[in-house]
Amino acid sequence: EGKYFRPKPGKKNESYCIIMPPPNVTGKLHAGHALDVTTQDALIRFKRMKGYETLWLPGMDHAGIATQNVVEKKVWEEEKKTRHDYDRDTFLKKIWNWKENFGGIIADQQRRLGASPDWDYSMFTMDKGPNEAVRKVFTSLFNEGLIYQSDYIVNWDPVLQSAISDAEVEHKEVSGAFYHLHYKIKDSNELLEIATTRPETLLGDTAVCVHPEDERFQHLIGKTAIVPICNREVPIIADEYVDREKGTGCLKVTPGHDFNDFDLGKKHNLPIINLLNKDATFNENGLHYQGKTCKQARKEITAELEELGLLKEVKDHIHQVGHGDRSHALIEPIVSKQWFLNVQDMAREAVNAITDEKTKFFPKGWENTYFSWLREPKNWCLSRQLWWGHRIPVFTCQSCHHQWADENISPSACPKCQHQKIEQDPDVLDTWFSSALWPLSTLGWPNKERMIEKKFDTFFPTATLVTGHDIIFFWVARMMMMSLKFTGQVPFKDIYIHAIVRDKLGRKMSKSLGNGIDPIEMIELYGADSFRFTLAAGSGYNRNINLDPERISGYRNFINKIWNAFRFMAPFLEDAKPLSGVKNLDSHEKWILGELNIVTKSMNKSIEEYRYDDSCSAIYHFVYEKFCSWFIELSKPILHSDAEDKKRIRASVLKHCFKKIVALMHPFTPYITEELWAHLKEKEDDLLIVTDYPEFDESITFDQETIQMNRFIEIISSIRNLRSSVNIKPKDEVGVNIFIDDQKTIEFLKEQVIFFHNLAKVNNIVFKTYDEQRPAKSIMNATSFCEIFIPLEGVIDLNDQINRLEKDLAKTMKEVNKFSKKLANEKFMRNAPEDVVIETRSKLEEFTQKSQSLKNSLAAFKG
RNA sequence: GGGCGUAUAGCUCAGCUGGGAGAGCGCUACCCUUACAAGGUAGAUGUCGGCAGUUCGAUCCUGUCUACGCCCACCA
């Protein structure tokens, strides 16, 4: 309501823009989308708080094949009609209708996840603007001669009845067979043995091919073979393409239905025979098999060959066969007329942009995938025989047959002969064509007015593209090509490739396995913040995130922890003052501010580098271990005392830290942090979403406090450990003797008496020096700088204590030996850098001290 | 067939330019202690996939082997 997601110039005077990869209009939010939203929203919120003019531009993809499928299915179920029962315009209206009513559920789901794009910028790939961009680009490429129509062998999907691109074909392993056939040779009694996995295509054979140097077949080259059944006479040709080891070394050539044979056919000028109809049944060239499917025909042709005595044998064979990635239909290579884009030059530019580091991949390794596509690019088959999509803007004059591309939606006359009867190409463009222009068209390109309105110059080139590695070629590469071609600029400076979300066993989430995790269900169970934090914590430079709902529950507990920390603090915060006016901080306060400064630095750095795993772990540990376990616990005696000054200062520090924590976390957990902020903020403060992100402050250095606090924490933990080792009840109080020589530390510890009581139920501490007598009946622990004794009245199991200390001693001695060995090694002393030697020496000293303490005590106990 | 990647605690993973093996979850014991049992305190757990090499020193670099995953190509 407050339009906080809308870009506003900030203190940085720079822009930051992410174009959201548009989800399919038919789509429902899945775990992968949730990760998409989380990573992008975290960046956007971070940059917004940093003071950039921030735009996250949302959108939706028309998803040609998927959407047409959905509506066709629906129409079939409801009306028992196919699209061919309607005319094109009426059916398209039905799809638009569906889009208005049912499309785009996903946008609402993104809102539930807390996404903060400027929804007013929302764009649909078939909106007027993108359509204008498509027509402009197509026409321009056409006029440049880069778009051409050609008879070409394409992947034909018989279910969709459309050509699909190479990238849309999935190869699956299937078990088939090698059929060994005999072809007769004209004017000879010799038989040629040919192995094939597709005997049914022999009706389209227009040659037989052998290797030119294959001695077995030398004498046959140039002769004529007779294709069985149709008795076609075809030449026996030679080409080095043939692999002598494979099959029988003798290849039947079917240029109409095999990619390699097509190339071979072009090279040797062979005729192309098309055997198939659009639904992959045999046409009239299939002779008496006309109307049969390939599968039936294969069976029956094999039988006929056997009758003719031309089938030598059938061997089992496992091979890879192409299937449509959407329809799952068996793909048939078929020769047909299609539109192509020559991408050779554009691909080269796209490669250069990465090698010149105009755009960088994070993690860098993914550029290999990008290069592997673009260094040997195949021309892009643009046309799809569908109705739903951007119609190809090519027109043909019915009078003079002039063919041209036109930027106008419906040109009125032929530009050559002015004849008014013109016809538009019936096909639509591959969906990725409009996707390739997405960073341009969403920002108003090519329309000058819209570009001003959308602030093209402010946001282009965009800052970061966030997407999955599965569409590096489909989408990323093509955006790069188009943008470089038409603006001379890269479309984005960084490309962050996030992981693929898998189930907890590392399997792909799929409908058939039923292992999908529904984000909405997770939000309802654990909350959007917990879910987002889990995804972010699992995201860095890794390829997979194995998502286990138990982890979400773990982070839900963390979110809950923060809430409870606030509940504790809330009653004391009224007296809190802004920290800038507060003086006389005590050592605990200085310590926590130092730690806060460290975590602030680490958060800023890691988000900038897309290392969300590091960000989450840093804030998690700070909140849990530093802030809750120690600082809040240490604050209790003060807040419950009546030392008003100290109370006020402590409340101020608590509030300061907590406000920073909430701000630091906001990019990942927007809901709870904004809510807490409402309770923490001053009247004049705006919402957290536009509050400054905490910055590292170099001037904060509390090294002494940090050293002393770490020692204090070690002693407290050590006392707790001792208590636990002899099962002292948590409520029972004990006295402690600490043997220590360091004066600074003694002074520090003396100020902590009340905290010893609060944190470890210590009612009496006596400080002594190392040379004083140790208490006789007692338990002890040693550190590198002190010995801790708890004198005990009752019966102590001496053996237990001796075992415990001996175990510790063994560990310590292992370290002592390792370090002394190192220092005794001449080569180490000669070659190792000085700081490593110094560090090793001080480690040795520490461990030696500790081991000496342990030895002394053991001697006394055994004594 | 070509390429990329991964093997570290029971599970999921981190370990950034080589210098004392880490986290979360899970597990064990004791505690309903005045923010939090969705909690607290204490604790156990690893031939860092195998082998060889470089180095004073290897989880990290090189080679090699093994296992797994992904991508691309390919219906002889």
Side-chain angles (χ1 to χ4, degrees):
Chain A
E1 280 170 16
K3 298 289 179 194
Y4 281 83
F5 302 166
R6 181 171 285 174
K8 287 187 194 76
K11 65 174 181 187
K12 267 277 197 297
N13 211 8
E14 273 177 62
S15 76
Y16 185 87
C17 176
I18 295 179
I19 309 278
M20 183 192 287
N24 287 357
V25 66
T26 56
K28 263 177 63 184
L29 199 74
H30 60 240
H33 292 125
L35 179 64
D36 243 6
V37 168
T38 301
T39 44
Q40 288 170 59
D41 195 51
L43 280 173
I44 285 291
R45 286 179 186 269
F46 174 69
K47 294 287 181 174
R48 192 186 284 126
M49 291 170 84
K50 294 284 264 188
Y52 289 79
E53 181 170 1
T54 306
L55 171 63
W56 187 15
L57 199 157
M60 197 83 66
D61 195 280
H62 67 278
I65 293 168
T67 310
Q68 185 170 316
N69 269 347
V70 166
V71 178
E72 279 186 293
K73 242 185 208 160
K74 189 165 178 264
V75 168
W76 179 252
E77 273 163 23
E78 289 171 3
E79 311 171 29
K80 294 282 172 252
K81 285 183 180 170
T82 73
R83 72 177 146 124
H84 300 290
D85 294 320
Y86 290 95
D87 65 81
R88 184 168 181 145
D89 285 345
T90 314
F91 195 79
L92 279 177
K93 266 183 202 146
K94 275 181 177 288
I95 304 182
W96 275 108
N97 226 328
W98 179 91
K99 187 244 166 193
E100 296 308 325
N101 290 321
F102 305 104
I105 300 171
I106 200 164
D108 292 324
Q109 296 179 316
Q110 288 172 333
R111 279 173 223 249
R112 293 195 63 183
L113 265 172
S116 66
D118 185 355
W119 296 105
D120 293 341
Y121 257 94
S122 289
M123 187 80 62
F124 181 55
T125 48
M126 293 235 298
D127 282 345
K128 269 188 191 156
N131 182 251
E132 197 180 319
V134 163
R135 283 181 279 117
K136 165 106 182 165
V137 164
F138 188 100
T139 305
S140 163
L141 293 169
F142 182 95
N143 291 339
E144 214 182 308
L146 291 173
I147 288 180
Y148 59 94
Q149 202 171 26
S150 164
D151 262 330
Y152 199 75
I153 188 153
V154 294
N155 302 292
W156 185 263
D157 186 321
V159 171
L160 301 172
Q161 305 213 351
S162 171
I164 61 175
S165 74
D166 290 335
E168 287 166 309
V169 177
E170 275 177 2
H171 291 273
K172 290 186 197 167
E173 199 163 79
V174 297
S175 46
F178 250 141
Y179 299 83
H180 287 246
L181 315 180
H182 279 145
Y183 280 33
K184 287 179 181 156
I185 291 166
K186 198 179 176 187
D187 305 325
S188 161
N189 291 330
E190 228 177 308
L191 286 173
L192 209 45
E193 187 181 336
I194 295 178
T196 177
T197 56
R198 299 200 64 185
E200 71 279 10
T201 63
L202 65 78
L203 297 171
D205 286 1
T206 51
V208 169
C209 190
V210 296
H211 195 279
E213 284 151 31
D214 194 333
E215 288 171 8
R216 294 172 294 176
F217 305 114
Q218 280 296 316
H219 60 292
L220 297 175
I221 296 170
K223 293 200 170 170
T224 301
I226 298 168
V227 180
I229 300 179
C230 61
N231 293 320
R232 182 179 306 121
E233 296 189 359
V234 299
I236 299 174
I237 58 172
D239 195 291
E240 281 169 1
Y241 163 71
V242 173
D243 180 348
R244 278 171 279 188
E245 309 300 318
K246 214 164 178 179
T248 59
C250 182
L251 176 70
K252 71 192 228 9
V253 185
T254 322
H257 295 286
D258 183 284
F259 288 94
N260 296 311
D261 293 7
F262 179 81
D263 291 338
L264 212 52
K266 279 251 150 128
K267 194 168 163 190
H268 294 272
N269 250 328
L270 300 172
I272 294 167
I273 297 172
N274 181 20
L275 294 173
L276 298 176
N277 295 311
K278 286 183 175 178
D279 60 357
T281 57
F282 273 59
N283 61 22
E284 68 281 1
N285 290 328
L287 307 178
H288 46 290
Y289 295 103
Q290 185 171 356
K292 300 263 162 82
T293 65
C294 286
K295 206 175 162 189
Q296 282 172 311
R298 180 178 301 178
K299 218 167 154 187
E300 292 176 23
I301 285 180
T302 314
E304 186 175 345
L305 287 168
E306 190 155 25
E307 260 172 52
L308 293 169
L310 295 174
L311 181 68
K312 193 193 163 210
E313 60 178 331
V314 181
K315 284 182 188 163
D316 287 343
H317 178 58
I318 290 169
H319 56 174
Q320 301 278 326
V321 179
H323 292 73
D325 67 350
R326 298 220 182 258
S327 69
H328 305 295
L330 202 80
I331 297 305
E332 290 294 344
I334 286 184
V335 175
S336 62
K337 235 185 188 54
Q338 303 286 346
W339 289 103
F340 287 87
L341 171 62
N342 180 339
V343 297
Q344 304 304 318
D345 290 342
M346 290 164 80
R348 204 168 311 122
E349 291 303 313
V351 167
N352 291 342
I354 299 291
T355 49
D356 296 348
E357 298 201 326
K358 286 177 187 148
T359 297
K360 289 186 207 159
F361 272 94
F362 295 86
K364 194 167 164 41
W366 286 114
E367 59 182 42
N368 289 328
T369 305
Y370 177 88
F371 290 146
S372 77
W373 281 103
L374 288 179
R375 284 195 169 137
E376 286 173 57
K378 280 194 176 172
N379 289 343
W380 179 6
C381 173
L382 295 176
S383 40
R384 295 291 182 277
Q385 289 65 49
L386 300 172
W387 286 353
W388 179 243
H390 294 280
R391 192 151 171 189
I392 291 178
V394 172
F395 299 85
T396 310
C397 174
Q398 296 302 289
S399 168
C400 72
H401 303 292
H402 172 59
Q403 196 181 48
W404 78 101
D406 207 307
E407 280 183 43
N408 299 304
I409 293 181
S410 45
S412 53
C414 170
K416 218 171 187 179
C417 72
Q418 309 308 320
H419 200 273
Q420 295 196 348
K421 210 162 175 216
I422 55 179
E423 222 164 69
Q424 185 170 6
D425 192 286
D427 290 353
V428 300
L429 286 164
D430 180 8
T431 306
W432 294 105
F433 193 87
S434 51
S435 308
L437 303 174
W438 199 231
L440 300 171
S441 61
T442 49
L443 290 171
W445 189 91
N447 180 303
K448 290 253 158 61
E449 274 170 37
R450 271 205 315 273
M451 284 165 77
I452 291 167
E453 183 197 325
K454 303 269 183 189
K455 301 179 96 170
F456 184 93
D457 289 339
T458 303
F459 296 116
F460 193 89
T462 70
T464 305
L465 174 77
V466 178
T467 191
H469 68 77
D470 46 340
I471 52 176
I472 288 177
F473 173 71
F474 275 120
W475 198 42
V476 181
R478 286 166 177 171
M479 282 191 284
M480 291 287 286
M481 291 194 294
M482 287 296 196
S483 179
L484 286 163
K485 174 85 184 166
F486 286 92
T487 69
Q489 288 183 284
V490 294
F492 20 73
K493 291 167 208 136
D494 286 2
I495 301 169
Y496 171 55
I497 300 293
H498 66 225
I500 300 290
V501 185
R502 297 170 180 280
D503 76 358
K504 67 173 175 178
L505 300 174
R507 300 172 305 180
K508 236 180 192 162
M509 293 190 185
S510 73
K511 273 184 193 157
S512 54
L513 277 171
N515 61 345
I517 289 176
D518 177 9
I520 300 300
E521 210 175 286
M522 293 301 117
I523 290 172
E524 275 160 10
L525 266 172
Y526 304 112
D529 285 339
S530 315
F531 188 42
R532 285 172 61 122
F533 197 86
T534 310
L535 290 169
S539 290
Y541 290 175
N542 46 336
R543 299 188 154 221
N544 298 314
I545 294 177
N546 296 358
L547 185 61
D548 184 347
E550 265 190 48
R551 306 211 61 181
I552 309 174
S553 134
Y555 287 119
R556 184 266 321 267
N557 297 351
F558 172 57
I559 304 287
N560 196 42
K561 180 91 182 171
I562 293 169
W563 185 256
N564 282 318
F566 175 71
R567 279 183 47 202
F568 164 75
M569 268 184 280
F572 305 104
L573 295 185
E574 271 175 35
D575 298 338
K577 293 262 167 9
L579 215 53
S580 50
V582 173
K583 291 208 172 90
N584 302 324
L585 295 174
D586 70 19
S587 51
H588 298 171
E589 288 156 353
K590 287 179 180 166
W591 168 75
I592 196 69
L593 291 173
E595 295 289 345
L596 175 66
N597 198 35
I598 292 169
V599 75
T600 301
K601 183 180 188 178
S602 133
M603 293 291 282
N604 274 284
K605 182 166 181 281
S606 55
I607 298 177
E608 208 74 67
E609 295 170 342
Y610 312 104
R611 289 303 304 254
Y612 306 109
D613 48 351
D614 289 347
S615 322
C616 290
S617 128
I619 193 70
Y620 183 98
H621 288 107
F622 175 73
V623 168
Y624 244 105
E625 282 150 28
K626 313 280 179 184
F627 190 72
C628 290
S629 292
W630 290 100
F631 194 63
I632 285 188
E633 292 306 325
L634 289 167
S635 298
K636 284 176 181 175
I638 292 172
L639 295 172
H640 290 132
S641 76
D642 40 8
E644 293 305 326
D645 277 356
K646 291 201 115 191
K647 274 172 79 171
R648 198 172 315 115
I649 294 174
R650 183 51 59 99
S652 306
V653 175
L654 276 165
K655 187 171 182 181
H656 172 84
C657 288
F658 202 62
K659 280 175 86 170
K660 296 290 180 192
I661 287 172
V662 156
L664 286 169
M665 286 189 66
H666 183 258
F668 301 105
T669 56
Y671 287 108
I672 191 182
T673 51
E674 194 68 75
E675 172 66 20
L676 287 170
W677 183 256
H679 298 282
L680 293 162
K681 74 185 196 70
E682 312 303 325
K683 267 192 204 127
E684 64 274 18
D685 286 339
D686 204 335
L687 295 186
L688 179 58
I689 188 174
V690 291
T691 296
D692 287 351
Y693 200 76
E695 302 282 352
F696 175 65
D697 181 351
E698 279 183 21
S699 67
I700 296 180
T701 44
F702 296 126
D703 295 344
Q704 261 309 307
E705 283 78 6
T706 305
I707 293 171
Q708 298 305 345
M709 273 301 286
N710 287 339
R711 291 190 160 183
F712 170 64
I713 287 171
E714 190 174 350
I715 295 174
I716 293 284
S717 305
S718 188
I719 295 170
R720 285 167 171 172
N721 170 283
L722 284 174
R723 297 177 55 113
S724 172
S725 77
V726 288
N727 282 322
I728 295 171
K729 292 270 175 279
K731 278 178 189 164
D732 294 345
E733 301 190 335
V734 294
V736 170
N737 291 357
I738 297 177
F739 292 81
I740 181 168
D741 284 346
D742 185 283
Q743 274 308 317
K744 267 190 188 162
T745 306
I746 294 171
E747 272 166 41
F748 181 88
L749 292 174
K750 278 185 174 164
E751 289 164 13
Q752 313 301 325
V753 171
I754 183 171
F755 304 109
F756 274 99
H757 182 259
N758 241 262
L759 298 177
K761 282 280 180 293
V762 173
N763 57 11
N764 178 34
I765 312 180
V766 181
F767 293 98
K768 295 184 176 175
T769 51
Y770 269 105
D771 50 20
E772 290 185 73
Q773 181 71 40
R774 309 300 193 261
K777 287 194 92 184
S778 59
I779 52 177
M780 76 84 68
N781 260 338
T783 72
S784 58
F785 61 93
C786 74
E787 290 174 22
I788 301 147
F789 282 79
I790 299 181
L792 288 177
E793 290 304 316
V795 188
I796 306 165
D797 187 333
L798 258 185
N799 283 334
D800 269 5
Q801 293 306 314
I802 289 171
N803 282 342
R804 194 172 53 79
L805 292 181
E806 272 181 341
K807 224 171 145 187
D808 198 0
L809 179 62
K811 250 189 199 168
T812 310
M813 285 314 293
K814 218 173 137 187
E815 303 293 337
V816 170
N817 291 335
K818 186 159 66 186
F819 289 123
S820 37
K821 221 171 148 187
K822 256 192 181 183
L823 290 166
N825 184 342
E826 266 179 53
K827 284 179 178 170
F828 173 77
M829 297 303 284
R830 219 175 23 236
N831 294 315
E834 199 182 350
D835 56 321
V836 173
V837 176
I838 291 170
E839 210 188 318
T840 308
R841 258 200 206 108
S842 84
K843 290 270 158 62
L844 178 62
E845 264 170 47
E846 284 175 24
F847 282 108
T848 308
Q849 176 60 253
K850 184 175 173 181
S851 71
Q852 201 50 54
S853 295
L854 289 168
K855 279 178 190 163
N856 293 343
S857 286
L858 275 166
F861 283 162
K862 286 174 177 168

